[in-house]
Amino acid sequence: MRLTANRIAGILRENGYKLTPQRHIVLKVIASSNDLLTPDSILEKSRQEDPSLGRVTVYRTLEVLNKLSLVCKVHSEGRCGSYMMKRPTEHHHHLVCSGCGKAVDITNCSLIDIEKKLSQESGFEIKGHLLEFYGLCHDCVENTPTIHSNKGGTSR
Amino acid sequence: MRLTANRIAGILRENGYKLTPQRHIVLKVIASSNDLLTPDSILEKSRQEDPSLGRVTVYRTLEVLNKLSLVCKVHSEGRCGSYMMKRPTEHHHHLVCSGCGKAVDITNCSLIDIEKKLSQESGFEIKGHLLEFYGLCHDCVENTPTIHSNKGGTSR
DNA sequence: CTCTAATAGATACTTCATTTCAGTTGTAAT
DNA sequence: ATTACAACTGAAATGAAGTATCTATTAGAG
C-alpha cells in the first residue's frame, strides 16, 4: 500500500493541520518520487507548480511530516538531511544510490536483537540505530553519473 | 593498542605532512578524548592551549586525518560531521551516547554478508554501509543530561 | 643555516537552515 | 454565507557551519 498525496492530506487534517495549496504541492512532490530528495530539490520541483512557493514552507512542511512519521529522514553519503516518503510502516532501512538518489526499502532488520546484547555489554540504554546501505544502482553503474557528491568517508 | 598523539604525529610526517604546533594541539585534543567531538568543540578545546588557533586549521587537520584514516566521521543523532580517533583498525561501528557523546566501538559487524544478498536482490553495486547505535550511557541515564540536542528522528 | 613547499590565520564568502513579522487564508462555528 | 481566529505564508533578517582566497610565516630537508 502506497501513501498518496491525497491520503496524506487527510492524515494532516485529522491531526489538526491545515491543508494549504502550498502544502499540497510539496506533498505531491515527495509522494510521487521514489528517490531521496533534498529540501532544495523539493523546493525546486514545487516551484515548477508555484514559483512563489517559499523555501521556509518546504522546511515547515517537512517538519510536520516528520513529526507525523510520514517521511523518512536519511543521511546518505556526504549528504545529510534528505527526505523520502515513508513506504513500509514498520521499522526499516534504506539502500540509497549515490548516483541518482534512488532508494530501496529494507524491511528485515535484525539489529534489535543485537541492541539487547550490546545494551548488556555496554551499560547503555540504547534508543535506536541508524543503518543505511549505499552504492550505485544498475542504471548508474552503466552511466557513471556525477550527480550526488561522494566526498569524505563516513564511519565504516 | 591505542593511538597516541605522538604516534599519529609520526604517521603524519611519514606521509609528508608537516607537524606544526597547531596540528599537534588538535591531535592531542582528539586523541585524548573517548567522546565524539564536533569540529566546534575541538576548536574550543584547542584554543584553551592556543587561543589564536584558527577554525580553518581544525577543519584542515580533520581533513588530513580523515584522508589518512586516522579518525572516524560519525553522524550521530541530530549531529552529523562529528569526529573521533579511530581505535580499532578493522571495520567497525559505534554506539554513541546522545547525552555526553561518549562512544563505544563495535567490531563484530555482520552486515557485509547481508550486503551480498542485498546486492543480488536489488541490482545495486553496494559500496558500503553506515551503522550507528545511539542511546544514553549509564551516567547520563542517571543524570538526565541535556547537552547533545536530540530533535528530529532519523531513518529507523 | 638556507631555501622552499606546506601551512597558518584573517577575511570574505557560500550554503543551508531558522527566526521574526506582518499580511493572508483554511476551516470550524455561527 | 459570513465571521473570527488560529494557523499559515513569504520576505527579509539572522545565524550556523563550512569553504575559498590571499599573504605572511614556518617546518624540516639538504
Side-chain angles (χ1 to χ4, degrees):
Chain A
M1 154 199 123
R2 174 78 185 253
L3 281 175
T4 63
N6 281 329
R7 175 79 193 88
I8 295 160
I11 296 177
L12 277 189
R13 247 186 304 230
E14 284 162 25
N15 283 276
Y17 292 101
K18 290 183 179 174
L19 183 64
T20 63
Q22 292 89 338
R23 274 189 185 161
H24 202 262
I25 291 174
V26 173
L27 277 179
K28 214 162 52 179
V29 166
I30 304 177
S32 63
S33 172
N34 279 313
D35 302 351
L36 202 53
L37 298 172
T38 62
D40 213 62
S41 66
I42 294 171
L43 177 65
E44 194 191 335
K45 284 167 190 277
S46 298
R47 278 189 170 158
Q48 288 172 13
E49 201 143 335
D50 174 2
S52 73
L53 195 143
R55 174 179 298 272
V56 205
T57 299
V58 171
Y59 282 106
R60 277 188 290 230
T61 305
L62 285 171
E63 192 187 329
V64 170
L65 291 175
N66 198 30
K67 200 175 289 174
L68 295 178
S69 292
L70 293 171
V71 287
C72 299
K73 189 176 185 179
V74 182
H75 289 249
S76 93
E77 272 288 85
R79 189 72 201 73
C80 296
S82 295
Y83 292 84
M84 55 180 296
M85 197 46 66
K86 180 170 275 182
R87 294 175 293 202
T89 50
E90 75 268 32
H91 178 84
H92 68 285
H93 299 286
H94 300 103
L95 164 56
V96 181
C97 176
S98 308
C100 62
K102 196 180 298 165
V104 173
D105 300 302
I106 299 164
T107 49
N108 52 342
C109 167
S110 58
L111 292 171
I112 294 160
D113 301 332
I114 294 177
E115 273 186 15
K116 287 188 192 127
K117 210 182 72 182
L118 268 179
S119 188
Q120 290 176 337
E121 291 173 4
S122 65
F124 274 54
E125 186 176 293
I126 300 182
K127 302 284 189 185
H129 56 261
L130 166 65
L131 170 62
E132 285 162 29
F133 294 90
Y134 49 88
L136 291 174
C137 70
H138 184 68
D139 292 347
C140 285
V141 169
E142 309 229 300
N143 306 337
T144 50
T146 49
I147 303 171
H148 276 214
S149 71
N150 198 17
K151 59 192 169 186
T154 43
S155 76
R156 58 150 301 179
Chain B
M1 158 201 120
R2 173 79 183 249
L3 282 174
T4 63
N6 282 328
R7 175 79 193 90
I8 295 160
I11 297 177
L12 276 188
R13 247 184 306 225
E14 285 161 24
N15 282 276
Y17 292 100
K18 289 184 180 174
L19 182 63
T20 64
Q22 293 90 340
R23 273 190 185 162
H24 202 263
I25 291 173
V26 173
L27 276 180
K28 215 163 52 179
V29 165
I30 304 178
S32 63
S33 172
N34 279 313
D35 303 351
L36 203 53
L37 298 172
T38 63
D40 213 62
S41 66
I42 294 171
L43 177 64
E44 194 191 336
K45 283 168 189 279
S46 299
R47 279 189 172 159
Q48 288 171 13
E49 202 143 333
D50 175 1
S52 74
L53 196 142
R55 172 179 300 274
V56 203
T57 298
V58 171
Y59 282 105
R60 276 189 289 229
T61 305
L62 285 172
E63 193 187 328
V64 170
L65 292 175
N66 198 30
K67 200 174 289 177
L68 295 177
S69 292
L70 293 170
V71 286
C72 299
K73 189 175 186 180
V74 182
H75 289 249
S76 94
E77 273 288 86
R79 188 72 200 74
C80 297
S82 294
Y83 291 86
M84 55 179 296
M85 196 46 66
K86 179 170 278 182
R87 293 175 295 202
T89 51
E90 76 267 32
H91 178 84
H92 67 285
H93 299 286
H94 300 103
L95 164 55
V96 181
C97 175
S98 308
C100 63
K102 195 179 298 165
V104 173
D105 299 302
I106 299 164
T107 50
N108 52 341
C109 167
S110 57
L111 291 172
I112 295 160
D113 300 332
I114 294 177
E115 273 185 15
K116 289 191 190 122
K117 211 182 71 183
L118 269 178
S119 189
Q120 290 177 335
E121 291 174 4
S122 65
F124 274 55
E125 187 176 293
I126 299 183
K127 303 284 188 185
H129 56 262
L130 166 65
L131 171 63
E132 287 162 27
F133 294 90
Y134 49 89
L136 292 173
C137 70
H138 184 68
D139 293 346
C140 286
V141 169
E142 311 229 299
N143 306 337
T144 49
T146 50
I147 303 172
H148 275 215
S149 70
N150 198 17
K151 59 193 169 185
T154 43
S155 77
R156 54 151 300 177

